[in-house]
């Protein structure tokens, strides 16, 4: 596991904490379910990044905080939108929760690029023996 995957996992955990709802504010069940479900998904992705930082997990780790950051950025003009109401229940202020989502998305994108660009150890860049040297028996 590389430093980029660790930093993305930490950023996703912070994003989950600041998006967790602690107040009810009289909203319906669907915004509450989203308000609890999104931080749980962030936490699950952070744990998956610690255990197995694969490309699919990293792609999901980019998509979820990006959706949260987009909702924070454009959620104001759409007060009837369920997702913007759910994000409005976050523990932290909107500017802090949005910044945490942006940071998590950017760090996950960095980890994804590092994962895709870096060669797999032992597969692609193995040193070939010099021609004419005796090989060890298998």
């Amino acid at each position: 596991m590389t430093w980029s995957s660790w930093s993305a996992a930490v950023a996703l955990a912070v994003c989950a904490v600041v998006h967790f709802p602690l107040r009810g504010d009289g909203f319906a069940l669907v915004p509450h379910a989203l308000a609890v479900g999104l931080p749980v998904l962030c936490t699950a992705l952070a744990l998956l990044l610690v255990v197995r930082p694969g490309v699919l997990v990293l792609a999901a780790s980019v998509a979820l905080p990006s959706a949260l950051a987009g909702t924070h950025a454009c959620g104001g003009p759409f007060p009837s939108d369920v997702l913007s109401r759910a994000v409005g229940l976050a523990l932290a202020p909107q500017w802090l929760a949005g910044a945490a989502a942006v940071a998590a998305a950017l760090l996950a994108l960095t980890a994804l690029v590092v994962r895709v660009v870096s060669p797999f150890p032992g597969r692609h860049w193995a040193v070939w023996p010099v021609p004419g040297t005796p090989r060890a028996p298998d």
Side-chain angles (χ1 to χ4, degrees):
M1 185 165 181
T2 63
W3 62 270
S4 58
S5 297
W6 275 104
S7 61
V10 168
L12 276 169
V14 169
C15 184
V17 168
V18 299
H19 280 96
F20 198 81
L22 287 182
R23 59 188 193 280
D25 290 346
F27 282 108
L29 178 65
V30 174
H32 280 291
L34 277 174
V36 172
L38 291 173
V40 167
L41 281 174
C42 283
T43 305
L45 286 172
L47 291 174
L48 283 173
L49 278 178
V50 170
V51 174
R52 185 145 181 133
V55 174
L56 283 165
V57 174
L58 286 166
S61 298
V62 172
L64 181 62
S66 297
L68 287 172
T71 303
H72 281 291
C74 300
F78 308 110
S80 65
D81 189 22
V82 175
L83 187 58
S84 66
R85 285 188 287 162
V87 169
L89 293 173
L91 169 69
Q94 293 294 315
W95 62 271
L96 183 61
V102 168
L106 288 176
L107 286 170
L109 181 63
T110 303
L112 179 63
V113 168
V114 167
R115 172 79 174 163
V116 169
V117 171
S118 66
F120 295 106
R123 283 192 189 164
H124 295 291
W125 304 108
V127 178
W128 289 92
V130 178
T133 58
R135 289 182 50 189
D138 292 331

